[in-house]
Each structure stands twice: as C-alpha cells, then as structure tokens.
Amino acid sequence: MWGWWRFGKWTVLIMFLHIIAILIFTKGFLLTRTELPHSSHCSDLSQSPCHSSPSSSSCWTKPAVDRLIIIVLDALRFDFVAPSSFFEEKQPWMDKLKVLQRMASENPSSAKIFKAIADPPTTSLQRLKGLTTGALPTFIDVGNSFGAPAIVEDNFINQLIQNGKRVVMMGDDTWTQLFPNHFNKSYPYPSFNVKDLNTVDNGCIEHLLPSLYQQDWDVLIAHFLGVDHAGHIHGVDSTPMIEKLEQYNAVLEKVIKELQNQSGPGKLHENSLLLVMGDHGQTLNGDHGGGSPEEVETSIFAMSFKDLPSLPSEFDSSSCEPSKNICISSIPQLDFAVTVSSLLGVPFPFGSIGRVNPELYALAVCTWNLDDDKTWNNQDQTKLEEWLQNYANVLCINSWQVKRYIDVYSASSVIGFSSEDLFRISDLYSKADENWSYTKNLSSYKNGSSNTSLPVLKRQIVAYSNFLSYVAELARSKWTEFNLKMMGTGIGIMLLSLYCHTLAIKKLNKSYGVSLLSSRDSGISFGLMLTFFMVLIRAGSLLSNSYILKEGKAANFLLATTGIMTLRYSFMKNKMLIEAAIFLLLTFIFRIAIEVGLYKQAATSQFMSSSSSWMLGISISQSLWTYMAEIMPILALIVLALHWISESNILDLAHFLKGFGKNCIPRTVYAITLVQLSLLAIVPMFCKEETSNCRGSLFVKMMSILSACSSTIIILQGKQGALVALGSLLAGYCMMRLQGIEQHTVSGTAGISILDPLPVLQWSLLAVCLLFASGHWCAFDGLRYGAAFVGFDEFILIPQAILLTIDTFGFSHILSVFGLPLFVAFPSSFNQTEHKSLFPIKLFWIFMVYGLITAITAAATILCVTIQRRHLMVWGLFAPKFVFDVVGLILTDLLIFVASIYYFNGLEDRIGNAELRRLW
C-alpha cells in the first residue's frame, strides 16, 4: 500500500479541505432565522393604540367562532378543488371534490374557495410550521423534515392552549412531533411510508365523524395523507389518485352534512367554521419541496354555517365563473395563523407577519344583515360601517403586533434589518397610525354621515394593509442572516482546495512523464482547451436560475458539443466513425430521457442482459473474479425481472406473491449486493493474483464492483433503471474507444504518456445527464421518496436514508466513479505505447481530474449562492442546488478514496514492486 499512499495522500488532503470549507460556508449561509422566545399575551394589548374588546371574555379580538374544524388534505393541488372551467383544459383529476364546489356555488356568501399561496420550500414540516407561526420558516428546516423537532417559537397552537382552548388532533404524526403535549386528545399515525395510502386516512375517518358529536374540543385538526402518498408513488394522473379524491369527497360530504344538521340555533355547531385546506401542492409527478406554481399553489375551502352578506367589492379579490356561480379568491398561507387567531379571539403569534385576510375574516364575522331583497339601504350602510370599524381595529392590532415583532427582532438579532428598511417600516406604520385616533372615534358619532366615515375607514384599512404587505415582502427578501465572514472563509478554503488539486495533477505530470501537451507541436492540446472552456461555461451557467432549472439539458448540450468535435476528428482520420456517430446519437437519446425522467414515466426495458466482458472478450483465468463479474449479475437480473413482473399490470401476480414478492425480491437483491461487496473487500486480503495481465485484471475488478452496485441501483430506479444503465454502458464504451482521437502520435514519444482530459469531462457531463435522465433533479422535490420503501413497509430511518441516497446518487456518482478505470483498462486506439507501469499513474490522474471537475462545479455553486443570496429564488432554487452539489462533492471525494484503494490494491504484485519503486 506504500504506492497507494504516495498518491492517496492527495485525495485525503483534498477531501479534508472540502469538508472544512463546506462546513464553514454552510454555517454562514444556512443560518436559521433568529427565533425569539417571546409569546403574545392578552395583557400586551394595553400597550397598543388599538381598541380593546369590550367583552370581558375576549382577549385581543372578540371571538367570532366557537368551534373550528381544520381538515388538512396533504399535497392538495389547487386544481383538485377549483372547477375545471377555471383552467384551459380539463384533466381526469379535476372536479372530484364536487361537494366543495357545490357548497361554494349554492352558498357564495358563507362558503368560498381560496387559492392559497405557500412560501417555498414546500416540504410538509415547513408548511405546518409556517401555517401555525405565521412566519417564514428558513431553508435549514428542510433537513428536519424526517425528524420534526418541537416548535419553540410562539404559534397558533400554543396560543390556543394558553388561552384555555381544547384541541383534538388526528392523522399525520408530524403534528405530535411539532406540538408535543399540546393536544387534549390525539390519534397520530406514522406518516413516512409513502407506499401506504390508507392507514393515516382510515384513522382520520375512524375518529373524525364521531368527534363532531362530542363537546370536549374547541379546535379539531384532521390531517389526511393519502393524496400526498398517491402522488409520490403513482403521480397525479393515476387511478389511485382519483380514487383518493373520490374517497375524500364522500368523507367531506358526510362531514358537511353533519355540521349542517347541528348548526341550528342552540345546537352544537351553531357557530362553527369549517376549513378544508392543503399544506402545499404537488407536481404532476407527485413531488413537492420547490417553488414552482404547482407546488406553492394549494387551496383553502372555508364554510360558515350562518347566512352572511357579501363582502364589499373593495376588499373582494375574487375571480368568478358565471356559469358555475363560483368565485375564487387568493390568500397567502402567511395570513392563516393571524386570521384564525382573530376569529377565535386568541392573541396573534408573536412572530407572525401575516395579515388578517378580509375575505376569510368576513366569512365568520358580520355585524350587518341584508334585507331579503339583498339590496343596500341606510341601515345596511350603518352595519357595514360597524363591520369596517371592527376590521380596521383588528388590522390596527395586527399592524401593532407586526411592528412590535420587527422592533424586538432587530434589537435582538445580530444583523436584523438594515437602517433603511427599518426607516421605511416606521414611516409606513406612522402614516397608517397617525389618523387612527380620528378614525377609531367615528363609531362614537352615531348620527354621523356614512358618506364621510366609510371612505375614511376604507383608507385606514388600505394604509394598514400596505404596511403589512411591505413587511411581508421585505421579510421574504431579507429574512435570513448571512455571516459573510464565515462564508468568505469557506470560499477561501474551497479555492485553496482547488489549488491543491491542480498542484497534485501538475506534480503528477512532471514527476512521472505524463503530459497534457500535444505531441505534435508541444502546444496546449485542443482537448485540454475544450475541457477548460466547457468547465468554465458550466460553472458560469450556475449564476442563472434559468440554467439551474434546465441544468440537465445544459449538460446534455455540452456533452453533445464534445460529441460533435469528436465526430469531426473521426472524419478527419477516417477512424471510429461508427463509435462517434453512436455517441452523438446517445446524447440525443439522453436528451429525450431527461425530459422523460422529469415525469418519471420511462418506458419498460426488456434488455440489459449483456455479458460483463462483451466489449473485448477478455479471458480471465481466475474463477472467483469470473464468477463475480458474470454469474452474479445474471442472477441479479433474474431477480430484478421477477420484481418487475410482480409489479406488472398485465400479469396480475399480486395474489400469488402476497406476503412474499413485494419485499422479499428487493431484499434478495440487496443481499446479493452485500455478499458481492463483502467478497470484493475480503477475498483480496487472502488471495494473491498470479496474472500479469494488468488491463484484464483491472477491467474485471471494475465490472465486479459495478455489477455488485448496479443491481441495487437499478431496482431502486424502477423499470427505467435498466434503460439508463444500458445507455451509460454504450456511452462509456464509445468514450473509451474514442479517447485520444485528437492526439497526433509522433515517433520518439514512447516514453511519454499523453493524457487527454476530454474523455473525463465527457464522463462527468454524462454523470449529470444520468442524474436527470433517472428522474432526479437538484431540488427536494427531485428526491424519489418511494425508492426508500422498496423492500420495506415501515419507516426505519437508517435503511431508508441509505436507499434514498443510493437511488439519488447511484448512476450519477457511485457507478460513475467506479467506472472511471474504463479509460485505463483499454489502450487508446491512438496511443498504444503506454507501459504497464503507467497504469496506476494514469488511473490516479483520471481520478484527480474527475474530482477537480466536480470540485470546480461545486465551488462555482458556492460562489453563485453567495452572489445570489438575496435573490428571490435563493431558498426555492439556489440553496437546494448548493446542498445537492456539496453533498455530491463530498460523496465523490469519498468514492474516489475508496475506489483508489480498491483498484490500487495488488498493483504492486502485478506490475512489480521493484519497477514501481524505481518509477515512484
């Protein structure tokens, strides 16, 4: 291992620098918003300029509802609720929640559909935290989505408990993790088994309807998960999704019927409010986490069981469908906590920056009534004035609470808001508050003219609304505190690692007679220039959010560009034309696969059964290696075929395989993988190889470990996995055959090995294409959570985390790094003079160049997120890209470290210790 350490010390040093740089930068970049320990209390209102409620039983606002029923339908897309007539094209999943549409149509003043806009990232934990606190959860909270910590910040649930409200919860157990010991009764069910569409929903149904008859609660929360899980596993346009929506419609119809039956005078639900809502949306693939319209747009259906008048047009943002008699308004989810708090009469959460929404507020709060002919008269104007006076007072409290929070936050936080921002906030608040003394006294003039008071009240409401809107937008753009010193230190260490990386390659070139120069004129080779240019373009593209969104297509374009250049040289030399043409064709196929991969609906594969040594027909005498390289992959493919047959819709084997196939087959594949990897790790310690065929031995070792890993990766990828594997195999073969095609061999250069970085760049770009072609992308909604449950029914953190990591990085990182010896195991058709002693040097050189390309991309991402840290999409796009790239970099470093040990082991024996020591 002495020879390995001569090379391997550089990989250890570089990996260490990368880890330190990323940790320091992350500490400065992904700081959480300062969570203040303060809570709101009823007595706080005495410090405000606003009216206190005349009712002795109320707190900040007079309670408008006695009981609140919140039904959360996880991942509820907006078009699940809104009528299909609101969209350009009707889809199969639309108009399934008919009862909500019917209620909104028959009772437009007391039942309404809202388009609710969530703030990204749209993971369930962050949305629940945002809904209950009225704040903007920061990006770092995404990491807690699989182990939700209790919320310590003041929130809506906490205010309910502090003010004597009784809360009952059923469904998603995330609620009990976020709010431990907060519920009078709770019926939690495990939420992370995305293959289970029914357990959580059935538990909600079991307890929901009986609870409507009980008097031991004030707020009821039922969180259904079936639609979210159906989306993750089957997608939106699927039969399970439609069945779930139809099931929900039946449940909601029963709930509404029971509430209506008990809503008469003196009955249990005389003054109840029903909210049916989503926490976020989902893409057509069933994913969420990012900031696309499909993910951030969800819905809230609100229904009061009172006969209410219509809202004044000035505060009505509805868009209507005349034929359906349905109007839909829009509401930010940021407004939910403060609006519901005002309806229940509890203090607003201390850190809430939302606004009491007038349309949702009006569904439960009314102080005026219309005559039967639904026309306005003087008495109605007076009642309207009273309502506006009440709403203006609520907004006064709302604005005072937000201003108080901003002041405390700025004083407590290390950085806070800038002085210009604080001045603008104070100016808007002062303007809104300066006339409040006059406005709030209007109610004392009973005989005053409504023509005078109504415009004043409306202007006052607009002033408070402008203040609250400005604060919300400012918080969205500047919420996170960045520690620029730590970020700068991290960038500096990252640049130092790039210098060390380059220095290691340069020392290798000088010490061991390898060259990046063209052997014809001793100038810089075209391959080196093209590689440098391509890496520079890819790094620069990360500055644009559009290019990040289209990263797979951009990488495919660069790969195709290198393919065109390779084809040009093939024509010039009249060699390898078929390989060059196939490679270019594969880039086009990968371009299509990237599009298909985004929809995760790749076609079923019926092939990928080639022999492991088909390329050159190498004959290896060692039976153990032959067994691993050829027999084990065949066995794994047979098991994979059985797994795909068990999932086939054509061959209904579910009954035959019940209790066996669904989990046992994947676990068998995992066991085969573990056995192979164990043998590959243990056998070389006890068995010495006698062969001197370095290329053949290196190739078989490569195929052995690739076959060991590929079966697990393919089964996690699903039926498109074999297609992606076949494409990568063909592309790798073409790259191997075409490497060095632009070099010009000259006599007298036998002692020099001219290394071309272009094939390594192509391999790196191919790895990016494989990530996207396999249905992933650099966002949290690009994770295929269903892969974590292949072979498992229950959620167990460590196995599920390992499987999800293998599924995400399998093709793009694991197989790509272990496949790099492909360019060493076979001699270039254009450079046949390499001595076998140069094999380890060339292999190490390829590992280092591949790692350098990956590191440059990650460094560019770090620089880009630093520059774009105030960009509107920093948390929805740039930050997820940063997380994926730095995790990918560390994983690449670790894989290169392991792969170098694996491949270098035994090289001394095969090449000869004396010769290696002479060379090294």
Side-chain angles (χ1 to χ4, degrees):
M1 295 297 290
W2 181 87
W4 172 86
W5 176 246
R6 184 74 180 266
F7 297 137
K9 63 185 179 184
W10 288 101
T11 64
V12 175
L13 173 63
I14 291 167
M15 180 167 58
F16 174 76
L17 290 175
H18 286 166
I19 293 174
I20 297 300
I22 291 169
L23 287 177
I24 293 177
F25 182 87
T26 302
K27 184 68 175 178
F29 176 63
L30 294 183
L31 287 176
T32 59
R33 170 178 53 85
T34 302
E35 294 185 348
L36 303 181
H38 307 291
S39 296
S40 297
H41 303 280
C42 289
S43 58
D44 296 345
L45 194 62
S46 61
Q47 306 169 17
S48 77
C50 312
H51 280 311
S52 60
S53 174
S55 173
S56 60
S57 62
S58 61
C59 190
W60 285 17
T61 60
K62 181 180 179 180
V65 297
D66 297 328
R67 312 188 93 194
L68 176 65
I69 302 97
I70 301 175
I71 298 178
V72 181
L73 306 181
D74 207 289
L76 183 71
R77 285 170 59 101
F78 174 60
D79 57 6
F80 286 169
V81 179
S84 58
S85 55
F86 277 81
F87 305 93
E88 294 181 359
E89 183 180 355
K90 182 176 180 179
Q91 301 293 343
W93 58 84
M94 296 180 180
D95 297 331
K96 300 304 177 186
L97 299 178
K98 298 180 184 297
V99 63
L100 303 185
Q101 297 178 10
R102 187 173 72 250
M103 291 296 104
S105 176
E106 295 176 355
N107 309 283
S109 63
S110 58
K112 195 161 195 174
I113 295 174
F114 292 85
K115 176 193 285 187
I117 309 299
D119 290 289
T122 47
T123 58
S124 293
L125 167 65
Q126 285 202 309
R127 286 297 83 234
L128 293 182
K129 189 171 183 179
L131 283 168
T132 55
T133 62
L136 296 171
T138 50
F139 177 84
I140 198 68
D141 294 323
V142 173
N144 295 323
S145 288
F146 291 98
I151 295 179
V152 296
E153 199 172 12
D154 194 17
N155 57 80
F156 163 60
I157 303 296
N158 183 56
Q159 287 297 332
L160 291 175
I161 303 304
Q162 283 187 0
N163 290 274
K165 302 292 184 180
R166 300 161 299 173
V167 185
V168 173
M169 191 286 304
M170 57 200 69
D172 186 349
D173 62 353
T174 303
W175 286 89
T176 56
Q177 298 175 45
L178 291 174
F179 308 103
N181 306 317
H182 281 64
F183 304 112
N184 293 72
K185 288 184 180 180
S186 62
Y187 308 97
Y189 296 90
S191 58
F192 287 116
N193 186 358
V194 293
K195 295 192 297 183
D196 184 354
L197 308 186
N198 299 312
T199 298
V200 176
D201 289 358
N202 292 341
C204 286
I205 296 171
E206 178 185 354
H207 298 288
L208 176 57
L209 292 175
S211 296
L212 296 179
Y213 296 94
Q214 298 172 3
Q215 302 183 26
D216 58 351
W217 57 266
D218 301 297
V219 176
L220 183 150
I221 300 171
H223 191 143
F224 290 75
L225 274 177
V227 161
D228 179 72
H229 289 184
H232 282 306
I233 298 299
H234 305 285
V236 171
D237 190 5
S238 65
T239 300
M241 178 65 75
I242 293 175
E243 290 175 348
K244 268 294 159 189
L245 292 173
E246 291 174 343
Q247 179 191 28
Y248 288 176
N249 184 70
V251 172
L252 292 173
E253 196 156 14
K254 293 179 181 178
V255 169
I256 292 175
K257 182 179 179 181
E258 294 300 330
L259 292 175
Q260 287 177 327
N261 291 339
Q262 302 179 62
S263 63
K267 292 188 176 181
L268 187 59
H269 293 290
E270 176 186 4
N271 195 25
S272 294
L273 178 67
L274 170 66
L275 297 177
V276 180
M277 58 186 295
D279 53 348
H280 51 74
Q282 58 177 302
T283 65
L284 292 179
N285 311 323
D287 299 315
H288 56 86
S292 68
E294 290 178 309
E295 295 166 277
V296 301
E297 292 178 1
T298 181
S299 185
I300 294 178
F301 169 81
M303 184 175 183
S304 175
F305 299 91
K306 297 181 288 190
D307 187 17
L308 300 171
S310 300
L311 186 70
S313 59
E314 293 91 337
F315 308 110
D316 192 342
S317 64
S318 301
S319 60
C320 301
E321 177 59 47
S323 62
K324 297 282 188 178
N325 192 32
I326 294 180
C327 295
I328 295 180
S329 299
S330 181
I331 178 175
Q333 279 193 351
L334 197 66
D335 297 347
F336 177 81
V338 67
T339 302
V340 174
S341 296
S342 68
L343 295 176
L344 289 167
V346 299
F348 306 161
F350 187 88
S352 171
I353 57 172
R355 178 187 68 144
V356 176
N357 183 271
E359 294 166 271
L360 183 55
Y361 185 75
L363 282 176
V365 179
C366 68
T367 57
W368 80 97
N369 293 301
L370 291 178
D371 295 334
D372 292 337
D373 58 1
K374 301 296 182 183
T375 59
W376 292 99
N377 55 35
N378 290 334
Q379 185 178 3
D380 295 328
Q381 291 284 357
T382 303
K383 295 293 186 181
L384 173 60
E385 180 184 337
E386 293 178 8
W387 186 89
L388 291 176
Q389 178 77 28
N390 179 58
Y391 181 60
N393 183 69
V394 170
L395 283 188
C396 176
I397 299 172
N398 192 180
S399 300
W400 165 79
Q401 168 261 322
V402 171
K403 178 63 165 59
R404 177 185 65 166
Y405 170 66
I406 294 297
D407 291 341
V408 175
Y409 181 85
S410 298
S412 304
S413 178
V414 177
I415 300 177
F417 294 100
S418 67
S419 57
E420 292 81 3
D421 294 331
L422 292 175
F423 176 80
R424 175 63 175 162
I425 290 173
S426 297
D427 183 58
L428 285 174
Y429 182 76
S430 297
K431 289 179 179 178
D433 190 54
E434 63 185 5
N435 292 326
W436 176 242
S437 296
Y438 167 75
T439 303
K440 69 180 181 179
N441 292 325
L442 287 175
S443 59
S444 63
Y445 298 101
K446 301 297 184 182
N447 298 323
S449 172
S450 296
N451 294 332
T452 302
S453 60
L454 285 178
V456 173
L457 286 169
K458 291 177 181 178
R459 285 196 299 271
Q460 185 69 55
I461 290 172
V462 170
Y464 280 134
S465 297
N466 289 340
F467 164 75
L468 292 168
S469 297
Y470 176 78
V471 172
E473 289 305 315
L474 181 66
R476 285 189 177 97
S477 63
K478 298 187 176 182
W479 200 250
T480 301
E481 302 172 2
F482 299 106
N483 189 324
L484 296 181
K485 290 184 179 179
M486 296 192 72
M487 293 172 66
T489 303
I491 292 173
I493 298 175
M494 193 69 192
L495 295 178
L496 175 63
S497 74
L498 295 182
Y499 172 76
C500 293
H501 222 137
T502 306
L503 181 64
I505 295 174
K506 186 176 180 180
K507 287 177 69 67
L508 187 72
N509 295 341
K510 282 187 176 181
S511 301
Y512 305 120
V514 295
S515 174
L516 292 172
L517 303 178
S518 170
S519 57
R520 180 178 61 179
D521 52 11
S522 298
I524 300 298
S525 71
F526 177 79
L528 177 60
M529 291 189 294
L530 182 61
T531 300
F532 178 80
F533 185 63
M534 290 293 181
V535 172
L536 190 64
I537 290 178
R538 176 158 159 70
S541 69
L542 298 176
L543 280 168
S544 169
N545 61 303
S546 299
Y547 276 99
I548 291 178
L549 287 170
K550 306 295 183 182
E551 183 181 7
K553 299 177 184 178
N556 181 263
F557 172 80
L558 295 177
L559 183 62
T561 302
T562 64
I564 292 173
M565 300 306 301
T566 303
L567 183 63
R568 171 179 176 268
Y569 279 107
S570 294
F571 272 114
M572 291 173 58
K573 293 192 173 185
N574 197 26
K575 291 183 178 180
M576 303 297 177
L577 290 174
I578 295 178
E579 287 85 347
I582 291 175
F583 178 73
L584 199 58
L585 177 63
L586 284 172
T587 61
F588 174 73
I589 294 175
F590 276 119
R591 175 65 176 80
I592 299 175
I594 288 171
E595 293 286 351
V596 176
L598 295 178
Y599 291 96
K600 300 178 185 174
Q601 294 173 350
T604 302
S605 173
Q606 298 295 333
F607 38 91
M608 188 61 184
S609 58
S610 303
S611 169
S612 62
S613 59
W614 64 274
M615 284 188 279
L616 293 179
I618 296 175
S619 177
I620 305 298
S621 58
Q622 287 74 21
S623 59
L624 174 64
W625 297 111
T626 303
Y627 169 77
M628 289 187 182
E630 299 188 2
I631 305 301
M632 296 292 280
I634 293 174
L635 177 61
L637 284 171
I638 293 173
V639 177
L640 282 173
L642 289 175
H643 176 70
W644 291 332
I645 291 173
S646 71
E647 291 188 335
S648 172
N649 294 325
I650 300 175
L651 301 174
D652 187 10
L653 301 179
H655 179 73
F656 174 75
L657 294 172
K658 184 178 180 181
F660 172 77
K662 291 295 182 182
N663 287 335
C664 288
I665 291 178
R667 291 180 181 182
T668 301
V669 173
Y670 303 154
I672 292 174
T673 297
L674 289 175
V675 169
Q676 286 183 273
L677 292 177
S678 299
L679 289 174
L680 291 174
I682 296 173
V683 169
M685 298 179 183
F686 303 98
C687 299
K688 296 290 185 179
E689 295 184 62
E690 303 295 335
T691 181
S692 61
N693 185 353
C694 297
R695 286 197 176 100
S697 179
L698 183 62
F699 171 72
V700 173
K701 291 192 72 172
M702 179 186 71
M703 293 308 302
S704 296
I705 195 165
L706 290 182
S707 65
C709 300
S710 60
S711 56
T712 293
I713 295 172
I714 291 174
I715 199 172
L716 292 176
Q717 291 286 327
K719 298 173 185 177
Q720 77 268 28
L723 276 175
V724 177
L726 179 64
S728 61
L729 189 67
L730 291 175
Y733 171 70
C734 293
M735 291 180 193
M736 176 271 297
R737 295 282 289 163
L738 292 167
Q739 64 173 319
I741 193 172
E742 64 97 8
Q743 296 173 3
H744 301 269
T745 57
V746 180
S747 60
T749 61
I752 300 294
S753 176
I754 300 175
L755 301 179
D756 184 9
L758 186 58
V760 184
L761 171 69
Q762 291 177 321
W763 193 252
S764 175
L765 292 174
L766 177 64
V768 178
C769 292
L770 293 177
L771 175 71
F772 288 86
S774 58
H776 303 87
W777 53 92
C778 295
F780 290 101
D781 55 343
L783 295 174
R784 294 160 32 97
Y785 297 104
F789 293 91
V790 176
F792 295 89
D793 288 328
E794 301 297 329
F795 177 76
I796 308 173
L797 181 60
I798 294 179
Q800 264 68 63
I802 293 173
L803 291 179
L804 188 61
T805 301
I806 294 174
D807 172 74
T808 304
F809 298 106
F811 279 118
S812 60
H813 291 72
I814 298 174
L815 296 187
S816 295
V817 170
F818 282 108
L820 282 171
L822 183 69
F823 301 107
V824 182
F826 305 99
S828 168
S829 300
F830 306 94
N831 188 2
Q832 300 278 354
T833 61
E834 293 177 342
H835 192 273
K836 65 179 182 179
S837 61
L838 291 176
F839 290 165
I841 299 171
K842 186 175 181 180
L843 179 59
F844 178 73
W845 183 89
I846 288 176
F847 278 140
M848 293 297 289
V849 171
Y850 185 87
L852 179 61
I853 293 173
T854 305
I856 291 174
T857 302
T861 301
I862 291 174
L863 287 172
C864 292
V865 297
T866 303
I867 296 171
Q868 303 283 15
R869 64 187 182 277
R870 295 301 182 189
H871 193 282
L872 180 64
M873 300 182 68
V874 63
W875 302 124
L877 184 65
F878 288 102
K881 170 63 176 169
F882 162 76
V883 171
F884 271 78
D885 276 9
V886 298
V887 170
L889 175 62
I890 298 300
L891 182 61
T892 299
D893 288 340
L894 183 61
L895 290 171
I896 288 176
F897 175 77
V898 174
S900 62
I901 294 177
Y902 171 72
Y903 286 120
F904 275 63
N905 184 35
L907 276 178
E908 292 96 334
D909 297 326
R910 289 190 292 273
I911 295 175
N913 286 317
E915 187 171 0
L916 280 177
R917 290 183 181 275
R918 178 187 60 80
L919 182 64
W920 293 346

